[in-house]
């Protein structure tokens, strides 16, 4: 199975900050990498797919990059509503594994 | 409104069985692959199983392979997860989720709120 490792596990930042979360795959997954946001008590929400494509309705302050094994999620100008846990997930092959999550506190 | 609603969760003894259902509405169900994803409270997400649009292909996490079976009934706009030989570590909130496209490569864009499965003696 492909292992997905996120860093950091948690971070604290201020409104307006630029935040970067990294995700590393144990094998090359091309750009088959997705990012989700989950708030407490809610279902996950797809933010980006194919490493850098923004899902419809997601604010443009969210962006993604990377290919192969190393990926990043960047939030420019952090907003209070961005407080959540963020997960990466590879969809290159089954099982479609998730990273362990990064909790963003504001 | 595009919606997924899970049902069928409950409390079951170790070794027991349970069948989860997911009712889809607001979209053409047989245009999409579907998945089950679970989450232990306070922990991360675990992809459990996925099935393609016509039920002709399915995959499983190693942790459930041989015990769980995913299926769908496109005439009823429904997804199912038959869970046998349940273990304490299967205790979680189970979400159904829609593939973003006909392909499974591009994430899951619609999620249900989940149904809780508790395996306990």
């Amino acid at each position: 199975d492909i292992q997905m490792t996120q860093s950091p596990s948690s971070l604290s930042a201020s409104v307006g900050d630029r935040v970067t979360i990294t995700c590393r795959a144990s094998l090359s997954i091309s750009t088959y990498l997705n990012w989700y946001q989950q708030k407490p008590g809610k279902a996950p929400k797809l933010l980006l797919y194919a490493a850098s494509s923004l899902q419809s309705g997601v604010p443009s302050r969210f962006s993604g990059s990377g290919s192969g094994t190393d990926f990043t999620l960047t939030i420019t100008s952090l907003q209070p509503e961005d407080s959540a846990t963020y997960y990466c997930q590879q969809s290159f092959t089954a099982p479609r594994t998730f990273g362990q999550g990064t909790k963003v506190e504001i | 409104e595009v919606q997924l609603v899970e049902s069928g969760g409950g409390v079951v003894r170790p070794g027991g069985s349970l069948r989860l259902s997911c009712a889809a509405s607001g979209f053409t169900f047989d245009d999409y692959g579907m998945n089950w994803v679970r989450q232990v409270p306070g922990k991360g997400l675990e992809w459990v199983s996925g099935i393609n649009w016509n039920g002709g292909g399915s995959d499983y996490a190693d942790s459930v392979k041989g015990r769980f079976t995913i299926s769908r009934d496109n005439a009823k706009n429904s997804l199912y997860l038959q869970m046998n030989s349940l273990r304490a570590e299967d205790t979680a909130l189970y979400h159904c989720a829609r593939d973003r496209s006909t392909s499974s490569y591009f994430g899951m864009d619609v999620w249900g709120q989940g149904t809780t499965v508790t395996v306990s003696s």
Side-chain angles (χ1 to χ4, degrees):
Chain A
D1 298 358
I2 297 176
Q3 309 303 317
M4 307 300 294
T5 304
Q6 289 181 234
S7 61
S9 297
S10 64
L11 66 89
S12 182
S14 300
V15 173
D17 283 355
R18 178 187 179 96
V19 167
T20 299
I21 299 168
T22 65
C23 178
R24 175 164 288 176
S26 60
L27 297 172
S28 177
I29 56 170
S30 183
T31 57
Y32 295 112
L33 190 282
N34 312 299
W35 290 99
Y36 299 86
Q37 175 194 67
Q38 188 180 32
K39 297 181 179 180
K42 299 293 186 181
K45 173 185 175 182
L46 179 66
L47 295 178
L48 296 126
Y49 61 94
S52 61
S53 296
L54 200 65
Q55 172 67 359
S56 176
V58 174
S60 58
R61 64 180 179 273
F62 292 92
S63 64
S65 65
S67 66
T69 61
D70 293 314
F71 302 86
T72 61
L73 169 69
T74 300
I75 311 171
T76 57
S77 191
L78 196 66
Q79 298 299 303
E81 60 267 30
D82 300 335
S83 179
T85 300
Y86 294 84
Y87 295 91
C88 63
Q89 182 219 12
Q90 64 85 14
S91 49
F92 178 70
T93 188
R96 286 183 258 161
T97 41
F98 286 89
Q100 81 277 18
T102 297
K103 186 173 184 179
V104 174
E105 295 180 321
I106 302 172
Chain B
E1 178 190 6
V2 174
Q3 196 172 10
L4 298 171
V5 178
E6 303 92 338
S7 60
V11 180
V12 61
R13 295 190 185 279
S17 298
L18 212 54
R19 189 195 196 206
L20 305 185
S21 299
C22 171
S25 59
F27 65 98
T28 303
F29 184 65
D30 55 11
D31 276 351
Y32 296 89
M34 297 294 296
N35 303 271
W36 290 98
V37 176
R38 68 184 181 185
Q39 186 170 33
V40 174
K43 302 296 184 183
L45 300 168
E46 181 186 13
W47 179 86
V48 172
S49 182
I51 189 168
N52 73 343
W53 68 276
N54 66 357
S58 59
D59 294 297
Y60 299 90
D62 292 345
S63 58
V64 307
K65 200 172 291 183
R67 299 188 298 123
F68 290 12
T69 303
I70 191 171
S71 62
R72 64 189 295 161
D73 185 337
N74 287 345
K76 295 182 178 179
N77 291 341
S78 294
L79 175 73
Y80 305 102
L81 186 68
Q82 178 66 43
M83 304 186 295
N84 298 331
S85 302
L86 282 161
R87 306 167 179 167
E89 53 265 35
D90 296 319
T91 295
L93 179 67
Y94 284 73
H95 296 277
C96 69
R98 185 184 83 170
D99 281 333
R100 188 187 166 279
S101 70
T102 54
S103 164
S104 63
Y105 289 126
F106 303 114
M108 296 173 279
D109 68 338
V110 179
W111 293 67
Q113 288 303 306
T115 187
T116 299
V117 172
T118 303
V119 184
S120 174
S121 55

